[in-house]
Amino acid sequence: FLPIILTGDWPRYIFEGQLLALGLNPLLHSPNDFVGFPNQGVWELVEYKSLSAIYPPVSIIFFALFAKNILSLKLFIFFLEIINSLILIKILKLKRISKRYALIYFASPLVIIELGFSAHLDVISVFYNNLYIFINFLHYIFFYFLFIFTPILLTKLNRNY
C-alpha cells in the first residue's frame, strides 16, 4: 500500500482506536492527557494534541477495530473499495450505462489520494451510498414489474377459468 504523505490524520486514528480499545473515551480526553501513553511513537505523531477526538463515535469504533496498525485499516478500506467498485459496476449495468463510466470514479485523483494514501474513512459513506442506490433501484424494478405484470397475470388466469 502507498505511504501516507499528505495527511497527519492516521496517527490520530490509531491513537483514538487504542484509547477506545483500552476502555477510555477519546471524546472526553485529549492526547495531552496521555503523555506517557504506551504507544509513544504514535502519540508523538498526533497533531493538535490539545483537542479531544473530532471524529464521530462510529468512526472511533472503526479505529478501535483496526488499532494495531494503519495497514489493517488500509486493508479494510481496500476491501470496501472493491465492494464499492462491484456495486457501482452493477448499478451501471442495471441502468444500461456503459461500464466504462466507472473509470471516472476509479481514476479520480481524490479516490486514489484519500483512500490509497490517506486511509480516510470516506469509503464507508460511499459504500452505504452505493448500497442505498442499488437497493432502491432493485426495489423500483420489483414494484414496477409487480404493478405492470400482476394485472396481466390476473387477466390471463381469469380467462383460463
Side-chain angles (χ1 to χ4, degrees):
F1 288 97
L2 303 171
I4 299 174
I5 57 173
L6 300 176
T7 182
D9 292 345
W10 71 269
R12 177 72 79 154
Y13 298 166
I14 299 297
F15 178 78
E16 290 176 1
Q18 289 174 348
L19 280 184
L20 191 62
L22 291 171
L24 301 168
N25 187 346
L27 296 167
L28 300 176
H29 303 285
S30 72
N32 279 339
D33 296 340
F34 302 96
V35 175
F37 189 69
N39 192 346
Q40 196 65 27
V42 170
W43 182 88
E44 290 173 358
L45 296 173
V46 172
E47 297 175 347
Y48 309 106
K49 290 181 181 67
S50 62
L51 300 175
S52 63
I54 59 169
Y55 300 102
V58 173
S59 295
I60 296 171
I61 291 170
F62 276 102
F63 301 157
L65 292 173
F66 304 103
K68 296 290 182 194
N69 61 39
I70 195 67
L71 182 61
S72 62
L73 180 61
K74 280 188 160 194
L75 286 171
F76 174 73
I77 288 172
F78 181 70
F79 174 73
L80 272 184
E81 190 55 29
I82 289 171
I83 294 172
N84 280 340
S85 302
L86 295 173
I87 291 172
L88 178 61
I89 289 170
K90 191 68 171 174
I91 290 170
L92 291 173
K93 184 178 176 184
L94 286 171
K95 293 181 92 41
R96 295 188 177 125
I97 299 173
S98 173
K99 292 180 227 173
R100 291 182 296 164
Y101 286 104
L103 289 175
I104 295 170
Y105 175 76
F106 302 142
S108 166
L110 181 66
V111 172
I112 294 167
I113 291 169
E114 293 301 312
L115 304 179
F117 282 99
S118 302
H120 282 159
L121 296 180
D122 302 313
V123 70
I124 296 170
S125 62
V126 172
F127 169 73
Y128 283 115
N129 189 35
N130 284 345
L131 192 61
Y132 176 79
I133 291 169
F134 181 68
I135 289 171
N136 276 334
F137 189 74
L138 291 179
H139 184 260
Y140 169 78
I141 290 172
F142 173 76
F143 279 103
Y144 176 77
F145 283 109
L146 181 70
F147 287 119
I148 296 296
F149 290 113
T150 300
I152 295 170
L153 182 64
L154 290 174
T155 303
K156 285 188 177 191
L157 287 174
N158 280 338
R159 287 185 187 165
N160 291 338
Y161 289 109

